[in-house]
């Protein structure tokens, strides 16, 4: 028996395998019974669960470099697209890319998560113009339950491609992911402390657009936003917030951690020091474990046009949620066209890092959901929610199309399990 990273979930799988080759992977997939891919185990619910066999591809060798630039004949454009082993962590891919002068457009808070797992669940970073990590995908190689290795790209399969990227592992085991890259760039990180709520709400658009990536941290019951992290493309000075006098922001002169009172040594460098993109965009350094995993996480994504109303609704719930919170983060995300992405329009995300008291967390989540779902909120696929599968599926307009696509790839339902099984059975 094995557990997820946080330890709040024991998987139901009877075994876990790590195939070393495509041939070994095909043997597992054609061997009958239920099977599911398992990434870096950073999901907090049973989206990756199965009562059959778990497959991890972090040791898979398909005979190609783990990080390989594609040629124009393969769908690349002068090295702009790179094919990576799906089991690699983002931090590993980022370091390899930076060494060649290339970069990804955005990263999530943690560089420790696997590429395939993050893409399959629409994991994201922050920034008004930054889409989710899945939006950088130009192609996937997927092995179906029948052992067929299929390559699906945005260029060659426009009708189904948007349904195959954020797939929750319901189409097969992803072995390679093709990512769009950009030239490497430099980022500085500055943190403003104790931003008054009135200022934050009145200047929300100006604050989130003042840097390449912006994150705000709160416990919802505080008199001010505890910290606003600005990650700016290389510049000499701190970011300026349009229409806001400089004295309205008090800049921290010491490094801080997203969790109050925690040693910031695991966080990426702050205090306005320029550095490579992959050493600033994530909140945490790859070489550190950001926490012991003693936490539960939830997240809700909703239309940006409702951000202020949603923040006010959460502040009203502050007395209920704050006693269970380690911290909460507000981020913005740009829109994309992926069927199971919650970002079909410019969006804002409310992320909750809870104390490891899941029963108590589940008791308070209905109040959070009752406040946010009427404003268009949808739960993150890999985090704890109390919405049932039928309700969740109905929040995604293309879910019926995805259900039909999953039936084409997996007609016997061998990839069903956990949350995915419930979702595909809903409706």
């Amino acid at each position: 028996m094995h557990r997820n990273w946080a330890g709040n979930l024991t998987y139901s799988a009877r075994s876990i395998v790590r195939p070393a080759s495509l041939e070994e992977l095909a043997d597992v997939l054609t061997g009958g019974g239920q099977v599911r891919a398992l990434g870096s185990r950073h999901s907090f619910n049973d989206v990756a669960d199965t009562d059959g066999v778990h497959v991890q591809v972090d040791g898979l060798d398909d005979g190609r470099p783990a990080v390989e630039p594609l040629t124009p004949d393969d769908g690349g454009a002068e090295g702009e697209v790179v094919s990576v082993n799906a089991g690699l962590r983002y931090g590993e891919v980022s370091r390899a890319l930076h060494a060649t002068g290339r970069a990804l457009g955005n990263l999530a808070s943690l560089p420790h998560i696997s590429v395939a797992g993050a893409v399959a669940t629409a994991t994201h970073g922050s920034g008004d113009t930054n889409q989710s990590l899945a939006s950088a995908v130009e192609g996937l190689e997927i092995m179906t339950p029948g052992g067929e290795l299929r390559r699906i790209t945005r260029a060659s399969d426009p009708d189904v491609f948007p349904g195959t990227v954020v797939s929750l592992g319901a189409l097969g085991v992803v072995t390679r992911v093709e990512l769009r890259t950009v030239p490497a760039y430099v980022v500085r990180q500055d943190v403003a402390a104790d931003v008054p709520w009135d200022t934050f709400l009145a200047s929300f658009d100006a604050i989130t657009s003042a840097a390449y990536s912006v994150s705000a941290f709160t416990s919802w019951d505080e008199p001010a936003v505890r910290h606003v992290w600005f990650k700016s493309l290389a510049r000499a000075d701190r970011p300026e917030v349009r229409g806001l006098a400089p004295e309205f922001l008090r800049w921290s002169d010491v490094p801080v951690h997203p969790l109050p009172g925690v040693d910031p040594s695991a966080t990426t460098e702050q205090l306005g020091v320029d550095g490579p993109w992959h050493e600033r965009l994530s909140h945490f350094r790859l070489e550190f474990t950001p926490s012991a995993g003693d936490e539960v996480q939830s997240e809700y994504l909703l239309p940006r046009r409702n951000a202020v109303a949603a923040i006010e609704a959460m502040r009203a719930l502050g007395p209920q949620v704050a006693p269970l919170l380690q911290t909460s983060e507000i981020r913005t995300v740009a829109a994309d066209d992926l069927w199971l992405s919650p970002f079909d329009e410019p969006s804002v995300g409310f992320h909750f890092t809870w104390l490891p008291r899941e029963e108590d967390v589940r008791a308070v989540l209905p109040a959070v959901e009752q406040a946010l779902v009427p404003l268009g909120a949808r739960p993150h696929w890999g985090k704890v929610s109390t919405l049932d599968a039928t309700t969740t599926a109905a929040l995604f307009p293309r879910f019926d199309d995805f259900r039909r696509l999953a039936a084409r790839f997996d007609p016997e339902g061998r990839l069903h399990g956990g949350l995915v099984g419930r979702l595909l059975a809903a409706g």
Side-chain angles (χ1 to χ4, degrees):
M1 299 176 68
H2 49 289
R3 307 176 77 183
N4 66 341
W5 171 78
N8 71 306
L9 174 69
T10 298
Y11 293 113
S12 305
R14 66 175 185 269
S15 64
I16 181 170
V17 298
R18 288 182 167 87
S21 67
L22 292 174
E23 292 75 20
E24 290 184 13
L25 176 59
D27 288 343
V28 174
L29 286 171
T30 57
Q34 300 300 109
V35 62
R36 293 278 293 159
L38 184 66
S40 49
R41 310 189 194 193
H42 274 78
S43 290
F44 293 78
N45 62 16
D46 62 349
V47 68
D49 205 9
T50 178
D51 59 8
V53 176
H54 261 149
V55 179
Q56 286 195 260
V57 296
D58 51 353
L60 184 68
D61 182 358
D62 62 4
R64 291 177 281 174
V67 179
E68 179 183 38
L70 296 183
T71 68
D73 289 342
D74 292 325
E78 298 180 0
E80 292 182 4
V81 178
V82 62
S83 173
V84 308
N85 185 310
L88 289 178
R89 297 180 298 169
Y90 267 95
E92 296 164 335
V93 171
S94 297
R95 287 180 173 179
L97 281 178
H98 187 72
T100 68
R102 303 297 297 180
L104 297 173
N106 203 9
L107 293 172
S109 299
L110 292 175
H112 309 76
I113 54 179
S114 69
V115 173
V119 164
T121 53
T123 296
H124 60 96
S126 185
D128 285 3
T129 62
N130 293 326
Q131 298 173 308
S132 74
L133 303 186
S135 297
V137 176
E138 294 291 333
L140 296 166
E141 292 182 23
I142 305 175
M143 188 171 287
T144 69
E148 176 190 7
L149 187 64
R150 298 185 58 179
R151 180 176 182 238
I152 300 171
T153 72
R154 180 176 287 278
S156 62
D157 306 280
D159 293 339
V160 299
F161 177 80
T164 63
V165 183
V166 181
S167 68
L168 312 181
L171 307 182
V173 176
V174 176
T175 61
R176 306 282 298 195
V177 182
E178 298 170 12
L179 300 171
R180 184 174 61 256
T181 69
V182 298
Y185 51 97
V186 174
V187 175
R188 63 174 285 166
Q189 187 167 205
D190 299 273
V191 177
D194 299 320
V195 179
W197 278 110
D198 288 348
T199 299
F200 185 77
L201 291 174
S203 304
F204 183 79
D205 290 341
I207 288 172
T208 63
S209 64
Y212 185 71
S213 173
V214 176
S215 295
F217 292 93
T218 180
S219 293
W220 297 111
D221 65 339
E222 298 162 308
V225 181
R226 186 189 327 120
H227 294 130
V228 180
W229 294 30
F230 295 87
K231 301 172 188 277
S232 307
L233 299 182
R235 53 184 296 163
D237 302 313
R238 290 171 175 151
E240 296 180 0
V241 177
R242 185 178 63 256
L244 193 63
E247 58 266 24
F248 277 86
L249 294 180
R250 182 174 67 81
W251 297 101
S252 177
D253 56 5
V254 295
V256 299
H257 191 283
L259 276 61
V262 175
D263 182 349
S265 58
T267 61
T268 50
E269 190 163 2
Q270 302 163 28
L271 307 182
V273 179
D274 285 352
W277 59 281
H278 66 295
E279 296 180 358
R280 297 293 184 277
L281 286 181
S282 292
H283 295 335
F284 298 100
R285 305 173 192 256
L286 179 62
E287 58 269 26
F288 284 81
T289 300
S291 78
D294 295 332
E295 62 192 59
V296 175
Q297 292 184 11
S298 301
E299 186 172 27
Y300 299 91
L301 302 314
L302 59 152
R304 183 196 176 101
R305 53 188 163 82
N306 293 333
V308 172
I311 290 170
E312 291 174 336
M314 281 307 310
R315 290 188 67 205
L317 291 174
Q320 295 180 55
V321 302
L324 293 172
L325 270 178
Q326 298 191 52
T327 195
S328 192
E329 181 178 2
I330 303 169
R331 292 180 281 183
T332 59
V333 188
D336 61 48
D337 65 346
L338 306 176
W339 293 358
L340 295 194
S341 166
F343 312 114
D344 47 11
E345 62 176 284
S347 301
V348 61
F350 294 169
H351 184 280
F352 302 85
T353 301
W354 305 100
L355 295 168
R357 294 163 51 186
E358 186 165 348
E359 184 177 347
D360 294 332
V361 169
R362 288 184 175 275
V364 78
L365 281 179
V368 174
E369 291 161 352
Q370 289 166 16
L372 298 184
V373 171
L375 295 173
R378 289 175 275 196
H380 187 289
W381 291 116
K383 302 189 189 297
V384 174
S385 163
T386 61
L387 298 178
D388 61 52
T390 300
T391 300
T392 300
L395 297 175
F396 292 82
R398 300 298 299 270
F399 199 88
D400 284 342
D401 294 325
F402 178 76
R403 187 180 286 114
R404 287 188 285 270
L405 182 65
R408 286 168 50 190
F409 275 72
D410 178 28
E412 296 179 356
R414 293 179 52 226
L415 297 167
H416 294 195
L419 175 61
V420 170
R422 298 191 297 275
L423 288 165
L424 294 176

